[in-house]
Amino acid sequence: MKSLWRLCAIALVLALVAAACGDSGTDNTESQSASTAAPAADPEPADDPEPADDPEPADDPEPADDPEPMVRPLIKIGSVNSLTGPVPFPEASAAAEAVFERYNDDPDGTFTVEYFAEDDAADPAIAAQAARKLVTQDDVAIMSGSASVPDCDVNGAFYADNGIYSVQGTGVTDACFTSSNIAPINTGPFAGLTASLYFTSEVLGHDSICYFQFDIGTPSDPRDAAVARWTAITGKSLTVADLYAPGDDFTPFVTKAIDEGCTAVFEGGLDFTAIAFDATAAAQEASFDIVHFTSAYTAETAAAIGTPAGDTYANSEFEPFTNLDSPALADWLDLMNSAGVPLTSFAEGGYLAALATIQIIEAAGVVDSDDTDAQREKIGVAVREMEPFVNDMLGSPYIFGDAEAHSPNQASKFVQLVDGEWVSVTDEFIVLTDFE
C-alpha cells in the first residue's frame, strides 16, 4: 500500500462584525439614552411612562479562531512475510493492509499508516535483509501482521537492538514466543499443541493418543514442554510420540498407531501432510480419530480430504472462519471480502494484529512533529504499558507488555471435517490458563 492521505493546511478566516451606533442630535427628539414627557397647558393625566429604550447593543464578539486542523502524523509500519517459498503465508499481511487502508479512510483516525510488506521467500538471508531495509531505510516505527518462517529467529535480536516491536500476525517458530520484542497474536504451535492434546483427551475422551510431528529441524524442547504441560493439566501421557521427515511415507506411522492401540492421532504438520496422512489412514482402514494443526484448517484441505474414513478435526485457534453466521466475524468477513483477501486463519491473525497495533499507536500519543526515533520511543512505551486488546474472535485478551517472552493467546476452538466442509464443534474457547 503506497497511497497516502496528504493533508493540506487550512487557511483561517476571521470575520469582524461592527455594530452601528446611533448619533446624539441637537434637536428636540429623544436621545437613545434617556426618555422624557412633553409639558401640557391643562393638567392631563400623565402619560404612561415611556418604556426605556433597549440598551445599545454591544458589538458582537469577535468570533473565536477556528481550531487548528489536526495534522495526522504518518506512521510507517512494516512486516516480514513468507509470501512465496515452500511455506507461504500471504493472507496475514494482506488482511493487515486492508485494516490499515480502512483506518486511513476513517475521518476519526488520529494517524495515517504507510504499510510495507516485504517477502522473505522463507529464506533466512532474505528475511534479515528485509528487516534491515524496513528499519534503517523505510524508517518503520513498529512491525505488524508479519507471518514468516525465519523472521523471528533471524530478526528478533535486531528488533530488540533497534527498539522495534512486532505484533506478529502468525507466530511460526519458538523464537516468535521467546523474544522480548515479538508477541504473536495467534495461539501458535506450542500452546496450540497443548490445547489440541487437551481437546483430544478431555473433549473427545481419548486415553490412548499417538502424536506424529512433522520434523523440519526445529528444536524439540518447546514441543516437549507443550506435551509436558498437557500431562500436568490432565495427568495423562502419550502412547506414542514420533517424528516424520518431509517426504516420508505415512504407512508405517499409521500401522504403528493401529498396532499400539491408539484411538486418536494428533498429526502435527501442514496442510499437505494432513491430506496425505488422512489418505493413508483411509487406505489402511484405520478407525482412530485424527486431529490436525491449524495449517490443515483450510477450504482446500477440506475439499482434498473430502469425507474422511474416521473423524477428523483441526485446531482453528481463532473463532472458526467457516462460522459465517458468527457475529464475532461480521466485520472481518465484510472487510476481507471487500479487499479480496482469502478467508483463512492467517487472515484472521493479520486482521487482529492490525487492530491491536492501531490501539497501541493511538495510546502512544504520537504527534506530527515526532521524528522516527520519537515515534519508536512513544510506541515502545505504549507497547509495554498496553491495555488488553479484546475481540470476540480471540479466546484470550491480547497484551504485549514488558516480559522477556510473550505468548498471550492461550485459547483455541476446534472444527470437524464433515462431508468436505469444516464444522465448528466447540461453542466455547478452550483456554489453557483456566486449567492451571
Side-chain angles (χ1 to χ4, degrees):
M1 174 189 63
K2 299 297 179 184
S3 59
L4 301 173
W5 284 6
R6 305 286 184 185
L7 298 181
C8 47
I10 300 175
L12 301 179
V13 179
L14 302 179
L16 302 176
V17 180
C21 297
D23 294 332
S24 297
T26 56
D27 56 13
N28 293 329
T29 59
E30 299 173 351
S31 74
Q32 288 186 332
S33 58
S35 63
T36 59
D42 297 329
E44 292 180 6
D47 294 339
D48 290 338
E50 195 167 318
D53 291 344
D54 290 338
E56 181 178 336
D59 291 347
D60 289 340
E62 188 172 290
D65 291 347
D66 290 338
E68 289 288 341
M70 184 192 75
V71 179
R72 292 169 62 150
L74 175 65
I75 310 293
K76 295 181 178 181
I77 301 176
S79 64
V80 176
N81 309 275
S82 297
L83 302 177
T84 59
V87 188
F89 302 99
E91 302 96 332
S93 58
E97 182 175 21
V99 172
F100 293 136
E101 285 185 341
R102 181 176 66 178
Y103 187 81
N104 286 347
D105 291 337
D106 183 356
D108 295 326
T110 61
F111 58 92
T112 297
V113 176
E114 184 174 5
Y115 189 56
F116 300 82
E118 295 291 328
D119 181 15
D120 64 21
D123 184 308
I126 299 176
Q129 293 170 3
R132 281 149 184 79
K133 173 184 177 295
L134 290 167
V135 174
T136 63
Q137 297 180 31
D138 297 325
D139 292 331
V140 302
I142 189 172
M143 307 286 283
S144 179
S146 296
S148 162
V149 176
D151 177 38
C152 300
D153 293 83
V154 302
N155 294 323
F158 174 74
Y159 294 148
D161 290 344
N162 287 273
I164 297 294
Y165 291 86
S166 179
V167 181
Q168 207 82 359
T170 302
V172 180
T173 66
D174 182 49
C176 297
F177 300 88
T178 56
S179 167
S180 61
N181 283 53
I182 301 172
I185 203 158
N186 63 315
T187 310
F190 306 111
L193 171 55
T194 304
S196 296
L197 292 176
Y198 182 92
F199 170 76
T200 305
S201 65
E202 307 308 300
V203 177
L204 298 182
H206 294 286
D207 293 321
S208 181
I209 302 172
C210 285
Y211 167 35
F212 300 128
Q213 173 63 44
F214 188 26
D215 182 16
I216 56 174
T218 54
S220 64
D221 291 349
R223 294 195 301 269
D224 295 341
V227 173
R229 186 183 183 191
W230 165 71
T231 297
I233 292 172
T234 65
K236 297 178 180 179
S237 300
L238 294 170
T239 301
V240 172
D242 206 349
L243 300 175
Y244 65 86
D248 275 357
D249 179 10
F250 283 122
T251 301
F253 296 93
V254 171
T255 300
K256 187 173 187 177
I258 295 172
D259 292 345
E260 293 291 337
C262 290
T263 56
V265 169
F266 178 70
E267 185 273 320
L270 300 172
D271 50 357
F272 63 89
T273 66
I275 294 168
F277 190 90
D278 277 49
T280 304
Q284 297 294 315
E285 298 182 347
S287 59
F288 48 68
D289 289 354
I290 304 172
V291 182
H292 297 291
F293 263 140
T294 309
S295 297
Y297 178 39
T298 69
E300 292 76 14
T301 302
I305 296 175
T307 301
D311 290 342
T312 294
Y313 305 87
N315 186 334
S316 72
E317 298 194 5
F318 307 114
E319 176 71 16
F321 66 83
T322 48
N323 286 359
L324 300 182
D325 294 332
S326 170
L329 296 180
D331 181 68
W332 176 76
L333 283 169
D334 286 346
L335 184 59
M336 296 303 99
N337 286 331
S338 65
V341 180
L343 305 181
T344 68
S345 289
F346 304 116
E348 291 181 292
Y351 165 88
L352 291 166
L355 291 179
T357 302
I358 288 171
Q359 176 180 307
I360 290 168
I361 298 174
E362 287 185 334
V366 175
V367 297
D368 184 56
S369 59
D370 288 335
D371 61 13
T372 301
D373 289 339
Q375 288 185 356
R376 290 175 180 174
E377 183 177 351
K378 288 183 175 181
I379 290 172
V381 172
V383 164
R384 295 187 294 273
E385 299 177 354
M386 180 183 183
E387 293 293 323
F389 167 73
V390 178
N391 188 286
D392 288 341
M393 291 169 63
L394 290 167
S396 297
Y398 175 85
I399 186 167
F400 208 121
D402 60 358
E404 289 302 309
H406 308 279
S407 184
N409 191 342
Q410 294 289 303
S412 291
K413 281 191 174 185
F414 289 83
V415 290
Q416 181 178 1
L417 187 56
V418 178
D419 296 330
E421 295 184 352
W422 294 109
V423 177
S424 180
V425 292
T426 47
D427 293 332
E428 303 296 330
F429 281 95
I430 293 173
V431 183
L432 294 175
T433 51
D434 289 348
F435 312 118
E436 296 175 315

